[in-house]
């Protein structure tokens, strides 16, 4: 029962923090006369990625690189699956032709390269990371 109370308190703080972040970002953009899109692409994107970054760094320093890798992969899957899926439910997204000719093949190549590096020995070493 106490765990449910902690979850509810955490969700309340999460909503309050998101609201504070949004209002502060808009105020920052107005005060510094910076376009809101620039603030959204820098301040807000860093603030939303900071918890994942901290968990990944802590896990890597504690000798658990698998947790770091899982955090990155899981975050990307969640962002693509949940956020993009929700946006598509609300409306349509225009896709440029360059996505099919350049972006998608490069994405597939990078994903297969990453899979190949992980599949054979389960470890990414320095030169593999450098190649990627």
């Amino acid at each position: 029962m106490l765990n449910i109370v902690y979850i509810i308190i955490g969700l309340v703080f999460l909503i309050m923090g998101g609201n504070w972040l949004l209002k502060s970002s808009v105020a920052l953009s107005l005060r510094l006369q910076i376009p809101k899109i620039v603030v959204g692409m820098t301040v807000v994107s860093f603030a939303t990625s900071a918890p994942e970054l901290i968990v990944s760094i802590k896990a890597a320093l504690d000798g658990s690189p698998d947790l770091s890798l899982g955090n990155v992969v899981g975050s990307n899957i969640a962002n693509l699956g949940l956020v993009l899926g929700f946006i598509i439910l609300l409306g349509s997204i225009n896709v440029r032709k360059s996505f099919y000719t350049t972006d998608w093949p490069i994405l597939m190549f990078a994903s297969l390269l990453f899979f190949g590096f992980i599949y054979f020995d389960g470890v990414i070493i320095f030169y593999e990371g450098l190649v990627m």
Side-chain angles (χ1 to χ4, degrees):
M1 181 67 183
L2 191 59
N3 289 336
I4 294 174
V5 172
Y6 288 148
I7 290 173
I8 292 171
I9 291 171
L11 288 174
V12 168
F13 280 130
L14 183 66
I15 292 169
M16 289 171 42
N19 193 19
W20 176 79
L21 176 66
L22 180 66
K23 288 181 180 179
S24 299
S25 300
V26 170
L28 180 69
S29 70
L30 293 174
R31 181 172 293 153
L32 298 177
Q33 297 178 349
I34 301 172
K36 291 182 184 93
I37 188 74
V38 173
V39 173
M41 289 173 32
T42 55
V43 175
V44 175
S45 64
F46 177 75
T48 57
S49 299
E52 295 164 359
L53 177 66
I54 291 168
V55 168
S56 294
I57 290 172
K58 175 97 170 90
L61 292 176
D62 288 347
S64 300
D66 296 345
L67 183 60
S68 297
L69 182 63
N71 191 18
V72 170
V73 172
S75 172
N76 286 322
I77 290 171
N79 286 338
L80 286 174
L82 297 174
V83 175
L84 189 60
F86 183 73
I87 290 171
I88 290 173
L89 285 175
L90 296 178
S92 63
I93 296 177
N94 296 328
V95 179
R96 295 187 317 263
K97 189 170 186 142
S98 67
F99 173 78
Y100 297 108
T101 57
T102 57
D103 297 351
W104 189 82
I106 291 172
L107 175 68
M108 286 295 109
F109 175 74
S111 298
L112 290 173
L113 184 67
F114 175 72
F115 176 76
F117 287 156
I118 292 293
Y119 181 76
F120 292 110
D121 59 1
V123 177
I124 295 179
I125 56 178
F126 178 76
Y127 78 86
E128 292 172 340
L130 196 62
V131 168
M132 290 183 11

